[in-house]
């Protein structure tokens, strides 16, 4: 059996999460997929996968081998592309990653339009709420909304977002005024598990270099952006999210920004790729296609926030829900 073909099957099994998935993806029989993995295990002399009836788990050696396989296959693709030269057209499978909300709301429509424009390219869109190593995990591109460390990634800026504190106008009308971060201690907090479940940090006061950390005991902690938005819109408390998360609700007057003067510096948004990947036609085509659309989208979201109505919605009659 050809070792490169076996590597392709092995990586397909990891991407699909099962040998059956690898069979569907590669068009090989389940028996052929099993033989390919067994061939690699016999070649390296150690088990690569722990198999169950429903899932696969890499062994310690398998984790190292998977990284090496992805690099080998990527270099082979680069070699094919280089040999094809300028005649090469975008084709194959493009892998992109983003966070769940950004992927669904911002990136997914652009991916759909890209596939319409380039019918010879398929896309795998991985929406993950964790840091992704693009090289080790075989990703071509990522939409990153964070301050980027120095790295070998090639980053192309597409916009900025704000970290905003918001609440429903009717909640604000029924509770003490929020004029400074310390006032949050008097309020019901809806916290995101990965964005400060017990304290929020704000820039230092004038004359100080120490950021202000406002501690609280949240009424609600969630790990889903939409859940936090819905609870805040329903008047159950104050939450802190990124501006693109709540731009629609702010524009429609369902949420209102507070503490705008105490916001941290804006967070940059980039489309990033491993060094050298932008020379691959399918990756370059997506970057050229997506960058203007992403920049327009983030500029529109920023404008929506700046032009949002500020007049409070009258509080509901009767007793206010405490969430």
């Amino acid at each position: 059996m050809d070792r490169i073909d076996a590597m392709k099957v092995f990586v397909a099994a990891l991407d699909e999460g099962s040998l059956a998935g690898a069979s569907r993806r590669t068009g090989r029989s389940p028996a052929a997929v099993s033989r390919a993995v067994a061939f690699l295990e016999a070649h390296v002399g150690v088990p690569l996968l722990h198999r169950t009836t429903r899932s696969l788990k890499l062994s310690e050696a398998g984790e190292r081998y998977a990284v090496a396989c992805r690099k080998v296959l990527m270099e082979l693709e680069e070699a094919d592309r280089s040999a094809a030269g300028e005649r090469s057209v975008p084709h194959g499978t493009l892998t992109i990653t983003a966070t769940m909300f950004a992927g669904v709301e911002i990136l997914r429509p652009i991916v759909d339009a890209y596939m319409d424009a380039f019918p010879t390219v398929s896309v795998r869109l991985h929406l993950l709420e964790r840091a992704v190593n693009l090289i080790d995990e075989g990703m071509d591109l990522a939409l990153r909304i964070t301050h980027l460390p120095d790295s070998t990634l090639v980053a192309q800026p597409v916009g900025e977002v704000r970290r905003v504190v918001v609440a429903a106008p009717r909640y604000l009308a029924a509770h003490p005024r929020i004029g400074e971060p310390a006032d949050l201690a008097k309020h019901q907090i809806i916290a995101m598990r990965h964005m400060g479940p017990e304290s929020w940090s704000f820039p230092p006061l004038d004359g100080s270099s120490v950021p202000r950390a406002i501690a609280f005991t949240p009424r609600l902690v969630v790990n889903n952006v939409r859940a936090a938005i819905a609870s805040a819109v329903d008047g159950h408390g104050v939450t802190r999210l990124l501006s693109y998360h709540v731009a629609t609700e702010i524009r429609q007057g369902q949420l209102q920004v507070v503490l705008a003067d105490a916001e941290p510096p804006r967070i940059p948004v980039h489309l990033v790729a491993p060094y050298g990947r932008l020379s691959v036609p399918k990756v370059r085509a997506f970057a050229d296609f997506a960058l203007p659309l992403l920049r327009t989208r983030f500029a529109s979201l920023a404008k929506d926030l700046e032009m949002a109505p500020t007049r409070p919605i009258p509080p509901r009659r009767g007793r206010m829900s405490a969430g």
Side-chain angles (χ1 to χ4, degrees):
M1 178 174 288
D2 182 86
R3 187 155 33 126
I4 295 300
D5 283 343
M7 285 182 177
K8 291 178 181 178
V9 173
F10 177 59
V11 169
L14 300 182
D15 290 344
E16 296 295 331
S18 69
L19 297 183
S23 174
R24 291 189 296 270
R25 178 170 168 180
T26 62
R28 299 169 184 256
S29 70
V33 170
S34 295
R35 284 196 299 271
V37 175
F39 170 80
L40 291 178
E41 290 178 325
H43 178 79
V44 299
V46 294
L48 300 174
L49 294 173
H50 299 303
R51 302 166 180 81
T52 69
T53 56
R54 295 188 177 183
S55 65
L56 299 175
K57 184 178 180 181
L58 284 167
S59 66
E60 185 175 344
E63 290 180 357
R64 296 191 297 269
Y65 194 68
V67 171
C69 284
R70 292 187 189 278
K71 289 181 178 178
V72 167
L73 296 176
M74 188 177 293
E75 288 173 359
L76 283 174
E77 184 180 348
E78 292 280 1
D80 290 343
R81 179 205 56 79
S82 178
E86 294 301 321
R87 293 173 297 171
S88 181
V89 298
H91 70 279
T93 300
L94 181 71
T95 56
I96 310 172
T97 184
T99 59
M100 185 69 69
F101 194 97
V104 172
E105 298 297 327
I106 295 176
L107 204 51
R108 193 274 310 159
I110 294 173
V111 167
D112 285 343
Y114 169 79
M115 289 190 297
D116 287 342
F118 296 90
T120 56
V121 180
S122 299
V123 177
R124 291 186 178 273
L125 182 58
H126 298 262
L127 305 182
L128 304 166
E129 297 297 338
R130 63 172 175 82
V132 175
N133 186 308
L134 301 190
I135 296 174
D136 288 354
E137 300 189 44
M139 301 291 175
D140 293 309
L141 292 156
L143 183 65
R144 291 274 170 88
I145 303 175
T146 187
H147 295 280
L148 296 175
D150 292 335
S151 71
T152 58
L153 298 178
V154 178
Q156 301 182 86
V158 297
E160 294 180 321
V161 298
R162 294 160 52 188
R163 192 181 297 275
V164 294
V165 178
V166 297
R170 62 173 176 269
Y171 173 90
L172 296 173
H175 292 79
R177 178 177 176 272
I178 304 176
E180 59 182 40
D183 292 336
L184 292 170
K186 308 169 189 175
H187 286 266
Q188 298 173 117
I189 303 298
I190 302 164
M192 288 289 295
R193 184 176 58 81
H194 63 285
M195 293 177 66
E198 296 179 346
S199 68
W200 291 340
S201 179
F202 292 87
L205 292 169
D206 291 342
S208 173
S209 61
V210 180
R212 290 172 285 174
I214 306 301
F216 48 75
T217 300
R219 287 298 307 279
L220 175 65
V221 179
V222 296
N223 64 351
N224 180 272
V225 170
R226 290 201 176 281
I229 295 172
S231 188
V233 167
D234 286 345
H236 296 301
V238 182
T239 192
R240 191 185 208 187
L241 295 166
L242 299 181
S243 53
Y244 78 95
H245 292 151
V246 292
T248 297
E249 289 76 15
I250 291 171
R251 184 180 69 249
Q252 294 174 351
Q254 296 175 295
L255 292 175
Q256 184 174 324
V257 176
V258 297
L259 300 176
D261 292 339
E263 289 177 8
R266 299 189 178 200
I267 302 170
V269 184
H270 293 89
L271 187 67
V272 302
Y275 181 78
R277 290 305 287 166
L278 287 173
S279 61
V280 178
K282 64 185 177 184
V283 182
R284 167 52 63 190
F286 183 82
D288 291 344
F289 184 89
L291 281 170
L293 298 176
L294 286 168
R295 287 167 178 155
T296 298
R297 178 70 170 135
F298 279 99
S300 176
L301 290 169
K303 184 177 179 181
D304 285 348
L305 215 64
E306 298 297 334
M307 299 179 64
T310 58
R311 184 170 60 86
I313 297 173
R316 290 173 174 171
R317 293 183 180 180
R319 186 177 180 272
M320 187 70 180
S321 169

